[in-house]
Amino acid sequence: DAGITQSPRHKVTETGTPVTLRCHQTENHRYMYWYRQDPGHGLRLIHYSYGVKDTDKGEVSDGYSVSRSKTEDFLLTLESATSSQTSVYFCAIRRDTTQETQYFGPGTRLLVL
Amino acid sequence: AQSVTQLDSHVSVSEGTPVLLRCNYSSSYSPSLFWYVQHPNKGLQLLLKYTSAATLVKGINGFEAEFKKSETSFHLTKPSAHMSDAAEYFCVVSDLFNNDMRFGAGTRLTVKP
């Protein structure tokens, strides 16, 4: 258990509405990540953070923004949700002592109608 | 850019028989490689990782993987499948310096009684 929680766990929303997903960690690690999981694609990196207010884009960042105002929280925002953003979203942390190994949260299932 | 190819999208074995999940990678650097497992409606759990130490890596639940640089492969094996091994397995290649972690598309393992 890496002390990662995600909220909400499930969400249904309509096209064009804003959506914010939250990732919370209890261990104060620097690195946090947001991925999306789609059939046939594995997981793809959306954005990551290497400290408070320090973020960078990943492979599939278009249509997403992130914020990190506290070490323990990393927020993912869909400014105007589209059906193509229907997916399962995973947050991950990288423990400073384990170098590259990432530990994943339980996921958020998002359906955009 | 680095990438991962999981050669089988679905593998089916009988309980008690060996498991082989195949993974090839492409990387410009000396890669770190991982296998993660995802049980239905769950998050991802680390099975094992290779980070330039021993080429034969042992993981949890009896799984192991062998890093073969000449073949750019990192296949996952287990001598005897158990019903609880039924899940989706992801091979991952990582470049720490660029925070670039690439997932394969996944292999779904079915275990028949």
Side-chain angles (χ1 to χ4, degrees):
Chain A
D1 183 6
I4 305 169
T5 57
Q6 294 184 230
S7 58
R9 294 293 313 280
H10 301 273
K11 187 169 182 67
V12 180
T13 191
E14 293 186 349
T15 297
T17 60
V19 176
T20 295
L21 309 182
R22 179 180 183 243
C23 176
H24 177 81
Q25 60 154 327
T26 59
E27 300 181 354
N28 291 322
H29 297 294
R30 283 181 59 204
Y31 285 87
M32 300 184 74
Y33 305 81
W34 276 109
Y35 291 88
R36 60 178 290 173
Q37 182 180 26
D38 304 291
H41 290 277
L43 275 72
R44 292 177 292 174
L45 181 65
I46 305 171
H47 284 278
Y48 68 96
S49 170
Y50 47 96
V52 172
K53 296 184 180 176
D54 292 323
T55 65
D56 206 349
K57 296 178 179 180
E59 183 185 357
V60 290
S61 59
D62 287 348
Y64 302 94
S65 62
V66 290
S67 65
R68 193 165 178 202
S69 58
K70 298 185 291 185
T71 300
E72 59 266 36
D73 289 326
F74 191 31
L75 305 181
L76 177 71
T77 297
L78 291 65
E79 300 290 349
S80 177
T82 67
S83 58
S84 65
Q85 293 176 312
T86 291
S87 187
V88 182
Y89 292 85
F90 286 97
C91 174
I93 59 100
R94 174 156 64 91
R95 289 179 171 149
D96 300 335
T97 56
T98 61
Q99 296 187 308
E100 295 165 89
T101 304
Q102 293 186 17
Y103 296 87
F104 290 82
T108 293
R109 193 172 295 272
L110 175 67
L111 174 61
V112 183
L113 300 174
Chain B
Q2 50 190 8
S3 64
V4 170
T5 301
Q6 292 184 241
L7 298 171
D8 306 292
S9 59
H10 185 214
V11 170
S12 181
V13 301
S14 297
E15 191 174 21
T17 64
V19 175
L20 170 63
L21 305 183
R22 299 182 295 164
C23 171
N24 286 352
Y25 70 90
S26 172
S27 176
S28 302
Y29 311 98
S30 296
S32 292
L33 294 156
F34 305 78
W35 277 99
Y36 284 86
V37 60
Q38 184 180 31
H39 288 92
N41 300 312
K42 300 288 187 183
L44 280 78
Q45 180 184 17
L46 179 68
L47 270 181
L48 50 81
K49 67 178 180 181
Y50 166 79
T51 54
S52 75
T55 56
L56 183 61
V57 182
K58 294 188 184 299
I60 61 172
N61 300 333
F63 284 95
E64 62 181 38
E66 186 172 7
F67 173 71
K68 291 187 176 181
K69 186 175 181 179
S70 60
E71 299 176 10
T72 61
S73 69
F74 190 57
H75 301 335
L76 182 70
T77 60
K78 183 174 180 178
S80 176
H82 190 273
M83 295 297 291
S84 61
D85 294 329
E88 186 138 23
Y89 292 79
F90 294 96
C91 181
V92 182
V93 62
S94 177
D95 169 14
L96 175 64
F97 295 106
N98 294 308
N99 261 293
D100 187 13
M101 198 159 178
R102 298 290 174 131
F103 285 72
T107 297
R108 181 166 300 280
L109 176 65
T110 299
V111 182
K112 298 175 290 187

